[in-house]
Amino acid sequence: MEKQVSRHNHRIFGRSARLFDQAGPEASAFLASVGADVSLLLSAEGDIIDVAYRDPSLERYGIDDWIGRAWRDTVTVECVDKIDALIEENAKTGTTRRRQVNHPASGMQDLPVDYTLLTVEGMPWRLALGEDMRKLSELQQQLVRTQAELETEYRKIRDAESRYRTIFHKTAQAIIVIDGESHAVIDINLTGANLLHQPAERIIDKPVLQLIEREDRAKLTDALNAARHGGTRQNLTLRAAGHPEPLLGVIEPYRESGRGNLMLSLVPAAAASAHAAPEGADTALLDSFPEALVLIDRKGMISIANDPFLDLIHVLNKSLVVDRNLNNWLGASSVDLQVLLSRVREEGQVRQFSTVIRDELGTTRTVAVSAARMSGDADDQRIGVFITEASRRDSQFAVPAPGVESGSSDFAELVGRVPLKDLIREAVDVIEKMCIEAALRQTDNNRASAADMLGLSRQSLYIKLRRHGLEDFGNASS
């Protein structure tokens, strides 16, 4: 018999061709299906004569039920044209390109199979060899989901950037963002560009020193270096190049992408003087007193402190105490300051309130505190606190801190000097506040659980939290 070369392969087995004469039907069927995940034996009309598949999990797709059905009837509607194209191409060329079709499955995702249809010479049927594409399809779906999530996140980032860029440029204060190392301008808002009378694109990447008059450049350089290396705000007055009026500058250091950069805010000194004068006057007045004086708000946050107060607590400079709560140093616990503030709110002033002061060296000393409300708006009311060192016999009213033992003699000294109703009121307030603090600590600051523990409604608890100044409990330093 003359050997026929298949038109599907450039070379087929030749030397061992006679060995295939001994192959039986089962061996031929095995060889026909071994190269594919799914193999279909088709009639000339495209009906499925038999099926073979490698993965047992494919059985749940009902592949065995395809036998006797038209191949085009086993695929989804949108894939029918692909089956017709495969059969038509096979009739012309004997073999086809690979095409992916989907087989529907009840209660499951479609089964994707990538088929090649070929005709074996001398055989009356066609052979469809398919590759299981489920893993690839799953990866494609994951890629699509990931792409959708990335698009969503990118849209959020883009919207946030647009929003904050708008806020940045709409801010009434001139803001210049400066590179911490090179002191080049990274960004500037429209207010800053208008203040300097230059378009923003000409200022960006330009050394910030070139925007300042020559006589103020050394001062600005020192302030920039001090802010970056010291991590503290720096205030200075300078003149911008071509700007006739002096400007008040505030330099704020911040970290960005692992680098220390700076933000320079500029306002005309004349516009800032109305706000700066009272604070400057307060500071000068407080520094002239020989005893410790601080100005605090209704929650105890320090706005101004004089030098004797820094000496009393052994702190180097005022920037380390401003915007911090006075209870960091005053009182055996935060209860002392709360009692003091409560009495100031009710009586307007308190004289010779006995407590302790804790300095940065760990030393505790007895002090006498006098406090009074200062004139001002009710929402921004300031309280002046006058602190002097005192011996124990000079104290008039001392409130024991939680966990600190207090003898009955402490209260005995007050009889005849403080009205009984005042003693009872203060004692009840202190005990109530201590119980609320204990409940919040035990419930890890869970307000609902603390209310249940205390037998209060949540509304009543919130009212008491506001009355005792505990709205920010858990965030403030004790």
Side-chain angles (χ1 to χ4, degrees):
M1 178 185 297
E2 184 179 355
K3 181 174 65 176
Q4 299 291 331
V5 178
S6 171
R7 61 179 173 178
H8 308 305
N9 300 80
H10 181 68
R11 175 182 172 82
I12 64 173
F13 293 128
R15 296 183 178 181
S16 57
R18 286 190 299 273
L19 298 177
F20 286 90
D21 291 339
Q22 302 176 11
E26 293 182 359
S28 299
F30 172 77
L31 292 174
S33 62
V34 73
D37 296 322
V38 179
S39 300
L40 305 180
L41 196 60
L42 305 173
S43 67
E45 294 77 19
D47 296 331
I48 299 177
I49 300 173
D50 203 355
V51 298
Y53 49 90
R54 184 182 306 176
D55 190 345
S57 66
L58 292 172
E59 184 177 1
R60 56 196 176 104
Y61 289 91
I63 295 180
D64 295 340
D65 298 333
W66 296 354
I67 298 174
R69 299 174 59 189
W71 189 21
R72 66 196 314 271
D73 294 339
T74 65
V75 299
T76 57
V77 176
E78 64 273 10
C79 295
V80 171
D81 291 340
K82 294 183 180 181
I83 297 298
D84 293 339
L86 281 170
I87 294 175
E88 182 179 355
E89 185 180 355
N90 175 256
K92 293 179 180 179
T93 63
T95 187
T96 66
R97 294 170 296 171
R98 304 180 69 87
R99 288 181 182 267
Q100 181 177 325
V101 300
N102 295 321
H103 295 280
S106 177
M108 296 185 296
Q109 292 185 348
D110 295 343
L111 172 64
V113 181
D114 198 16
Y115 284 108
T116 297
L117 184 60
L118 57 89
T119 300
V120 180
E121 292 184 4
M123 297 293 181
W125 35 259
R126 297 181 173 125
L127 185 62
L129 303 178
E131 180 182 356
D132 185 359
M133 303 297 290
R134 285 180 297 175
K135 291 184 179 180
L136 179 60
S137 177
E138 183 179 351
L139 290 175
Q140 289 174 340
Q141 292 177 5
Q142 291 179 359
L143 179 61
V144 170
R145 287 195 296 268
T146 303
Q147 184 70 22
E149 292 174 359
L150 288 175
E151 288 292 338
T152 301
E153 293 300 322
Y154 174 72
R155 191 179 301 110
K156 290 180 181 179
I157 294 173
R158 185 176 54 195
D159 292 344
E161 180 182 6
S162 176
R163 180 166 57 253
Y164 290 116
R165 292 293 298 178
T166 301
I167 296 173
F168 178 65
H169 287 294
K170 291 291 185 181
T171 301
Q173 192 175 34
I175 299 176
I176 304 175
V177 183
I178 304 170
D179 185 280
E181 295 182 359
S182 65
H183 294 173
V185 177
I186 298 175
D187 204 353
I188 185 171
N189 65 353
L190 292 178
T191 306
N194 294 333
L195 181 66
L196 298 175
H197 305 296
Q198 295 186 51
E201 55 270 18
R202 290 184 56 186
I203 297 176
I204 295 175
D205 294 332
K206 191 175 183 179
V208 70
L209 295 180
Q210 295 185 13
L211 306 176
I212 307 302
E213 293 289 356
R214 291 184 180 275
E215 57 270 21
D216 291 334
R217 292 180 181 178
K219 178 169 60 174
L220 176 59
T221 300
D222 293 340
L224 291 173
N225 291 332
R228 179 170 182 257
H229 297 295
T232 57
R233 175 192 298 181
Q234 299 292 318
N235 300 320
L236 73 164
T237 302
L238 45 79
R239 290 182 180 272
H243 198 282
E245 299 179 2
L247 301 174
L248 178 64
V250 178
I251 302 173
E252 292 276 3
Y254 73 98
R255 290 190 64 81
E256 178 183 10
S257 301
R259 299 179 58 186
N261 290 334
L262 305 161
M263 184 174 68
L264 172 62
S265 303
L266 296 173
V267 292
S273 61
H275 174 73
E279 182 175 342
D282 287 338
T283 303
L285 178 63
L286 265 64
D287 285 336
S288 66
F289 280 82
E291 301 293 343
L293 276 171
V294 293
L295 293 183
I296 60 175
D297 62 15
R298 293 181 301 171
K299 293 185 177 182
M301 301 301 291
I302 299 173
S303 59
I304 302 175
N306 67 352
D307 290 334
F309 177 72
L310 301 183
D311 295 336
L312 187 63
I313 62 174
H314 295 100
V315 171
L316 183 61
N317 59 61
K318 296 176 183 178
S319 65
L320 299 177
V321 300
V322 173
D323 294 332
R324 295 184 65 187
N325 202 293
L326 182 59
N327 63 20
N328 285 287
W329 301 280
L330 184 69
S333 72
S334 61
V335 175
D336 292 33
L337 181 60
Q338 295 301 328
V339 171
L340 175 66
L341 294 177
S342 176
R343 292 188 59 185
V344 170
R345 284 195 297 267
E346 294 177 2
E347 303 172 14
Q349 62 180 7
V350 175
R351 296 178 180 273
Q352 296 299 306
F353 183 92
S354 181
T355 182
V356 297
I357 197 79
R358 294 169 281 118
D359 60 29
E360 295 294 300
L361 303 179
T363 305
T364 301
R365 284 169 288 174
T366 303
V367 294
V369 179
S370 298
R373 288 198 302 260
M374 301 183 67
S375 59
D377 185 78
D379 294 333
D380 189 26
Q381 195 175 69
R382 293 190 297 178
I383 299 172
V385 180
F386 180 83
I387 306 171
T388 58
E389 292 192 62
S391 62
R392 182 175 178 82
R393 66 176 182 271
D394 294 329
S395 64
Q396 177 182 354
F397 187 73
V399 179
V404 178
E405 296 184 359
S406 176
S408 60
S409 60
D410 294 338
F411 289 93
E413 294 178 2
L414 304 176
V415 176
R417 300 168 61 187
V418 177
L420 179 62
K421 63 178 183 179
D422 291 343
L423 288 175
I424 295 175
R425 184 183 66 248
E426 295 296 344
V428 170
D429 287 344
V430 170
I431 293 172
E432 184 178 67
K433 186 173 186 296
M434 290 169 58
C435 292
I436 293 174
E437 287 182 328
L440 291 174
R441 290 191 184 97
Q442 292 182 31
T443 59
D444 196 20
N445 205 26
N446 186 309
R447 307 297 170 89
S449 300
D452 292 339
M453 180 179 293
L454 295 169
L456 300 172
S457 67
R458 294 178 65 178
Q459 183 177 4
S460 298
L461 177 61
Y462 282 116
I463 292 174
K464 293 182 183 295
L465 289 174
R466 285 193 295 271
R467 182 155 64 89
H468 294 297
L470 294 174
E471 299 99 324
D472 298 328
F473 181 86
N475 298 325
S477 301
S478 300

